[in-house]
Amino acid sequence: MINIPKGTKDMLPNESYKWNYIKNKAREIARKYNIKEISTPVFEHTELFVRGVGNSSDIVNKEMYTFLDKGERSITLKPEGTAGAVRSFIENSMFNEPMPIKMFYFTPCYRYEKPQAGRLREHHQFGVELFGATGTRADAEILMIATDFYKSLGLTPKVVLNNLGCVECRKNYVQKLKEYFSPQINEMCEDCKNRLKTNPLRILDCKVEDCKKIINGAPKISTCLCDDCKNNFNNLLSVLNSLKINYEINETLVRGLDYYTNLVFEFWDDDGINKAALGGGGRYDNLVEELGGKSTPVVGFGIGLERLIMYMESKNIVFEQDKRLDCYIVSMIDDDVMILNIAKNLRDNGISCETDLVNRSVKSQFKYANKINAKFTIILGEDELKNNSVKLKNMDSGEEIFVNLEDLVNKIKEN
Ligand SMILES: [Zn+2]
Ligand SMILES: [Zn+2]
């Protein structure tokens, strides 16, 4: 037997209703905000992620699925959803269209990391990107989209926010961090030592206990913000208050990617049981330019679907089932033409039905109809068919009636 690769998971037919439920909710939210769907390839040129996600990120350094294709091109399976959307925005000259451009996607993402609960080497994301708008209203709207989505699933995670400042603020802050960490860097982990050289901001992300103690005393970004950055952030907070969006500021939140400017955020379990963020995002106003496009601000988020499903299961949230099967045809006769034409007529009229394909006895056909939860069974018996009629059984009430074949579709649709 050949097994599934480590860190991946099948979506099985008997679980697909959970995915459908979540995706339908996401599409419904997208419709309300007038966001259109985009789909980009699973693989891109490696350079896109090296330049987009950033050289100093763990993703690019350690976690990418990169290989040479048969034409000797370096190709990478996308580790996140944003870079591909931005590449497409630039390549298709969307910056020439009226702004904002809003798009959403469902995409698989690939990261070579140690598999653990809720962290897979292939996972799927629901993401939204909003191009061409800066300011409070766009920031608030992106947070509203995400919180509305969670709410539609019966969840109210807390929004954890931070403001990383504009390019100028960042420069000052990074300088302060260097001055603070340099004298004590030998007491910190190897990753932090590297981060001090490549991207000191990411030291704040370190989960090693000894590092955390030092990080706690580090200067706060809020002490380095210029007036514009300060005012914009305060503005956003007052809007979030008025919208009753539950948030908390966390000044060590930097997120693992290099491309963020100003706003970053994550969504966390409101009761603190879940030990990982349910999703996150922020603003990346320099990313389009960095990838060769005309300077365009972007704000967006991504939400991992596997982790979301796990979380919903842990909260005993009921996933709506797919639509129930309308009817199952129980056949007491052996007449392929008759059976398949009745089935065809039902399906042509929009009614879902199944018929026996594996030669079950009549008794086990009934059992099976029960098991698959069909609303009706249609019983084809020799005598009835002579009079052009069949027996229709309502599987919930047990009620049975004789129905003329011509009336079958209407009778089922009546119920
Ligand atoms: Zn600033
Ligand atoms: Zn560290």
Side-chain angles (χ1 to χ4, degrees):
M1 188 182 66
I2 299 168
N3 295 111
I4 193 168
K6 195 171 164 184
T8 62
K9 225 180 143 201
D10 296 318
M11 181 198 75
L12 301 172
N14 65 3
E15 288 174 350
S16 60
Y17 72 95
K18 296 179 184 176
W19 290 80
N20 290 338
Y21 178 59
I22 288 175
K23 285 182 168 182
N24 289 340
K25 292 289 186 194
R27 287 183 196 285
E28 177 57 17
I29 297 294
R31 186 192 66 78
K32 286 193 205 169
Y33 284 85
N34 196 28
I35 308 168
K36 304 283 189 247
E37 186 163 6
I38 184 173
S39 177
T40 62
V42 159
F43 58 88
E44 299 268 4
H45 294 291
T46 301
E47 199 195 345
L48 176 68
F49 304 112
V50 173
R51 279 172 60 187
V53 179
N55 263 328
S56 72
S57 66
D58 282 351
I59 293 180
V60 169
N61 277 331
K62 306 179 197 163
E63 296 170 357
M64 292 210 302
Y65 277 90
T66 298
F67 56 94
L68 287 181
D69 72 4
K70 292 201 164 80
E72 301 281 302
R73 300 171 198 89
S74 180
I75 293 292
T76 294
L77 302 183
K78 59 167 125 170
E80 52 84 65
T82 296
V86 171
R87 194 261 315 131
S88 178
F89 176 86
I90 299 168
E91 191 165 6
N92 294 292
S93 308
M94 287 186 231
F95 44 80
N96 287 330
E97 293 168 30
M99 292 293 142
I101 302 275
K102 301 193 258 184
M103 50 179 84
F104 76 93
Y105 49 80
F106 298 110
T107 183
C109 296
Y110 300 87
R111 291 182 197 176
Y112 193 83
E113 49 186 355
K114 213 169 134 207
Q116 44 184 302
R119 255 174 200 274
L120 294 166
R121 289 181 175 175
E122 180 193 66
H123 76 277
H124 297 78
Q125 279 190 10
F126 164 50
V128 173
E129 313 288 354
L130 200 165
F131 290 81
T134 58
T136 303
R137 220 174 287 173
D139 287 350
E141 177 146 311
I142 211 78
L143 290 170
M144 286 167 80
I145 296 166
T147 47
D148 275 1
F149 168 62
Y150 284 121
K151 205 165 121 197
S152 74
L153 298 170
L155 303 172
T156 50
K158 179 179 283 170
V159 182
V160 179
L161 296 169
N162 193 17
N163 183 1
L164 299 178
C166 63
V167 176
E168 280 307 306
C169 296
R170 278 276 280 278
K171 229 188 262 166
N172 293 337
Y173 185 49
V174 167
Q175 189 52 40
K176 274 202 183 176
L177 288 180
K178 274 187 187 159
E179 285 162 16
Y180 172 79
F181 285 117
S182 293
Q184 354 183 31
I185 195 66
N186 285 333
E187 294 152 51
M188 302 186 82
C189 73
E190 283 309 307
D191 282 340
C192 282
K193 282 179 190 138
N194 285 328
R195 288 170 187 149
L196 184 67
K197 290 181 211 130
T198 56
N199 187 354
L201 206 57
R202 296 232 29 241
I203 294 179
L204 302 177
D205 242 356
C206 189
K207 302 283 180 281
V208 177
E209 280 309 318
D210 286 344
C211 297
K212 271 184 171 168
K213 276 180 213 145
I214 298 174
I215 291 164
N216 280 337
K220 300 278 183 273
I221 177 75
S222 53
T223 61
C224 293
L225 294 179
C226 67
D227 285 347
D228 272 356
C229 285
K230 231 182 269 173
N231 291 339
N232 290 342
F233 195 53
N234 287 336
N235 222 352
L236 176 64
L237 299 184
S238 63
V239 169
L240 296 183
N241 284 332
S242 76
L243 293 168
K244 303 205 162 43
I245 291 178
N246 179 19
Y247 69 86
E248 180 184 289
I249 297 168
N250 181 339
E251 291 206 52
T252 63
L253 179 70
V254 294
R255 303 207 19 95
L257 316 179
D258 285 357
Y259 53 53
Y260 291 105
T261 47
N262 291 105
L263 179 67
V264 286
F265 54 83
E266 286 183 346
F267 306 103
W268 284 80
D269 187 357
D270 48 347
D271 55 23
I273 294 169
N274 197 58
K275 291 281 183 286
L278 291 169
R283 184 166 271 291
Y284 10 96
D285 287 350
N286 303 320
L287 184 59
V288 175
E289 208 174 353
E290 219 134 278
L291 292 175
K294 189 172 128 192
S295 174
T296 308
V298 196
V299 61
F301 66 78
I303 293 172
L305 298 183
E306 281 86 351
R307 194 176 285 172
L308 180 63
I309 290 175
M310 257 178 54
Y311 178 64
M312 288 172 68
E313 285 168 344
S314 78
K315 289 229 154 195
N316 296 318
I317 286 173
V318 179
F319 296 78
E320 202 172 281
Q321 295 277 343
D322 286 340
K323 240 176 142 189
R324 195 172 164 191
L325 179 72
D326 291 320
C327 58
Y328 183 83
I329 299 174
V330 172
S331 177
M332 302 163 92
I333 52 159
D334 185 22
D335 184 339
D336 296 341
V337 170
M338 177 67 85
I339 296 168
L340 292 176
N341 276 288
I342 290 175
K344 176 178 171 6
N345 183 45
L346 292 170
R347 291 173 184 142
D348 284 350
N349 283 283
I351 294 169
S352 60
C353 80
E354 252 201 74
T355 167
D356 178 46
L357 300 178
V358 292
N359 285 321
R360 284 192 168 87
S361 69
V362 171
K363 198 177 148 198
S364 25
Q365 287 184 57
F366 272 110
K367 254 196 187 159
Y368 180 73
N370 246 323
K371 186 176 179 304
I372 61 175
N373 195 26
K375 258 189 257 176
F376 290 98
T377 45
I378 297 165
I379 302 136
L380 308 184
E382 205 158 351
D383 291 345
E384 291 86 356
L385 281 170
K386 274 181 198 152
N387 303 319
N388 222 15
S389 74
V390 295
K391 207 192 274 176
L392 181 66
K393 181 176 179 184
N394 182 319
M395 296 297 277
D396 294 333
S397 65
E399 182 199 9
E400 293 182 349
I401 49 171
F402 287 98
V403 181
N404 217 295
L405 266 182
E406 292 91 77
D407 301 332
L408 189 56
V409 166
N410 286 335
K411 265 279 170 281
I412 292 171
K413 283 194 167 170
E414 264 169 32
N415 287 274

